[in-house]
Amino acid sequence: MKQIVTNIGLLAGVGHEGKRCLKGKEMAQLNTIANAYLAMEGGRIADYGAMAACPGLAGVEVIDAKGGAVLPSWCDSHTHIVYAGSREQEFVDKIRGLSYAEIAQRGGGILNSADRLHEMSEEELYRQAMRRVDEVIRKGTGCVEIKSGYGLNTEGELKMLRVIRRIKETTRLKVVSTFLGAHAVSRAYKGRQGDYVDLVVNEMIPAVGAEKLADFIDVFCDTGFFTPEETARILEAGAAYGMRPKIHADELASSGGVEVGVRHDALSVDHLESMTEEEIELLLDSQTIPTALPGTSFFLNMPFALGRKMIDRGLPLALASDYNPGSTPSGDMKFIVSLACIKMRLLPAEAINAATFNGACAMGLSDDYGSITRGKVANFFITDPLPSMEFIPYAYTTPLVRRVFLQGVEYK
Ligand code: NIG
Ligand code: FE
């Protein structure tokens, strides 16, 4: 059945037909139409335009936006929302002066989450993850990437990836999955990092590949975690099963992650808090989309990625939440957009494009998601009436999302 959203105060993110992602100056173009309608059919966007040109409403389901804005759903291209329990004790340790890296060196951090995950049933893990999924959908997220990486053994990684598959199957949210066995060396392999990399390559990747559980492969390529050489080996093993890289690079130090990512045609390199200007140049010659995670910089009190510089050099930029129990326990993409404006000096239009269109691109989904374009999936949200698009990051804690639609169906 046909559906039409009427009385849209501002329809944002329209057009950009045929584009894979938005780069440089294009990122400041957030095309909007005031007093608009949006037509859908079969869960996809059929048409849109000015309210004055709205087609007849007979026999059509009408959704009255009551003057609110309509935006394409947030596309959150980097999360770890499947995890067991929480780690607020480490939050307190950080307030008392320990750094994220020091907590990890003492055997805390990711290894704490792995211990909890091993004790938890798959059912309970799914239940806890679904609470977070529900939370982010209500905040306007319509596409999400979810990583494994708290199993750190074959059984645990498969358990996480099966939970991610179940989320794919049981919600209208668009989900892509990433295998992150090389997130940390497990307790069982302490002091035997080489053997752990062998386990990832020889056992975990073939097992994940056999069940086709992952679309992408990730490595935490950073000081104190995995080296660029280990990363290259893991990415090559993943490529044999069709998993394209999306990697954690330059969070704690400029450590070669961008270079190894570009060399292996990574879809994205993410974090980049410690990136250098030379790495910006490397990205210019690639198809790899840099992704900033300003929530992590905020929560860990670390530098922010050079987002302004990357855009000024003509690069595309995506923004994602990194929702995880250690470095940023939040999936609030509106807050991410605000942080990018306030701390990275992105214009509101650039930040909104980075969190929608370019986020979709960083998941390989921009043909179908990320903008209000004819033929794309009807994933969008309706806000309270807004004075302007700039109001969204400006009102940085005001909840503005009123109704959410995924595949043209309202989420209640
Ligand atoms: O992206 N940096 C590596 N992984 C996550 C944090 C994981 C955790 O601390 O649980 C991140 O920040
Ligand atoms: Fe991460």
Side-chain angles (χ1 to χ4, degrees), residues 4 10 29 39 76 82 89 105 112 122 130 174 177 193 203 206 209 212-213 233 253 263 331 351 360 362 368 381 399:
I4 297 191
L10 271 176
Q29 283 171 37
D76 190 352
V82 173
Q89 203 44 55
Q105 274 152 20
N112 272 342
E122 196 168 311
M130 283 301 283
K174 177 68 186 175
S177 57
Q193 177 141 341
E203 192 179 298
K212 293 196 176 11
L213 282 168
R233 202 178 144 215
R263 193 153 34 87
D368 277 319
F381 57 85

Side-chain angles (χ1 to χ4, degrees), residues 91-401:
F91 171 66
V92 178
D93 293 341
K94 281 178 230 140
I95 296 169
R96 292 212 161 101
L98 284 184
S99 71
Y100 180 83
E102 284 164 340
I103 291 169
Q105 274 152 20
R106 292 175 179 209
I110 294 167
L111 299 185
N112 272 342
S113 288
D115 293 343
R116 278 172 213 172
L117 185 122
H118 294 151
E119 289 155 12
M120 189 172 281
S121 70
E122 196 168 311
E123 191 57 36
E124 175 61 10
L125 191 59
Y126 171 75
R127 207 186 56 77
Q128 291 198 1
M130 283 301 283
R131 280 216 306 261
R132 298 177 202 117
V133 165
D134 175 67
E135 178 201 335
V136 299
I137 292 176
R138 290 182 192 285
K139 287 182 185 292
T141 295
C143 300
V144 74
E145 181 254 20
I146 311 176
K147 300 174 192 294
S148 69
Y150 296 115
L152 308 184
N153 58 35
T154 306
E155 189 196 344
E157 290 295 307
L158 292 176
K159 177 159 94 178
M160 287 189 77
L161 289 164
R162 287 185 191 125
V163 168
I164 299 170
R165 181 172 62 192
R166 193 165 157 203
I167 297 169
K168 276 190 200 187
E169 289 168 356
T170 54
T171 67
R172 287 206 164 81
L173 185 68
K174 177 68 186 175
V175 177
V176 296
S177 57
T178 299
F179 168 65
L180 176 56
H183 198 190
V185 175
S186 69
R187 285 198 205 287
Y189 280 75
K190 188 170 190 277
R192 294 188 293 136
Q193 177 141 341
D195 292 344
Y196 186 75
V197 173
D198 287 344
L199 178 76
V200 171
V201 167
N202 299 329
E203 192 179 298
M204 290 190 203
I205 291 174
V208 170
E211 283 191 52
K212 293 196 176 11
L213 282 168
D215 303 301
F216 300 102
I217 185 159
D218 193 348
V219 176
F220 189 4
C221 178
D222 219 318
T223 304
F225 289 85
F226 295 90
T227 66
E229 294 71 32
E230 290 164 339
T231 302
R233 202 178 144 215
I234 293 166
L235 299 186
E236 279 152 29
Y241 290 90
M243 301 175 210
R244 191 168 173 195
K246 279 174 69 64
I247 64 177
H248 280 73
D250 286 357
E251 177 182 358
L252 307 172
S254 171
S255 44
V258 172
E259 198 272 332
V260 75
V262 166
R263 193 153 34 87
H264 288 83
D265 191 30
L267 179 56
S268 71
V269 285
D270 303 24
H271 273 288
L272 310 175
E273 289 87 346
S274 306
M275 89 185 303
T276 61
E277 308 235 350
E278 291 90 78
E279 286 167 320
I280 295 184
E281 299 305 310
L282 271 179
L283 285 165
L284 276 169
D285 290 327
S286 77
Q287 293 292 311
T288 301
I289 180 158
T291 300
L293 312 171
T296 306
S297 302
F298 171 74
F299 191 77
L300 296 184
N301 251 324
M302 291 196 326
F304 286 76
L306 305 174
R308 179 73 268 145
K309 259 198 184 135
M310 287 190 260
I311 295 174
D312 289 345
R313 275 302 275 132
L315 283 172
L317 180 73
L319 288 171
S321 74
D322 196 19
Y323 195 168
N324 76 73
S327 67
T328 183
S330 164
D332 187 331
M333 287 296 282
K334 175 175 169 288
F335 184 56
I336 295 299
V337 166
S338 293
L339 280 178
C341 295
I342 298 162
K343 296 292 196 179
M344 293 163 55
R345 311 322 284 169
L346 265 62
L347 297 169
E350 292 172 328
I352 292 169
N353 275 326
T356 53
F357 202 102
N358 283 358
C361 174
M363 292 184 272
L365 296 175
S366 53
D367 284 348
D368 277 319
Y369 298 90
S371 60
I372 302 294
T373 304
R374 290 176 191 87
K376 285 198 183 182
V377 177
N379 280 17
F380 62 89
F381 57 85
I382 305 177
T383 71
D384 287 331
L386 304 178
S388 66
M389 276 299 131
E390 287 74 17
F391 189 80
I392 292 176
Y394 159 84
Y396 74 100
T397 59
T398 307
L400 297 173
V401 176

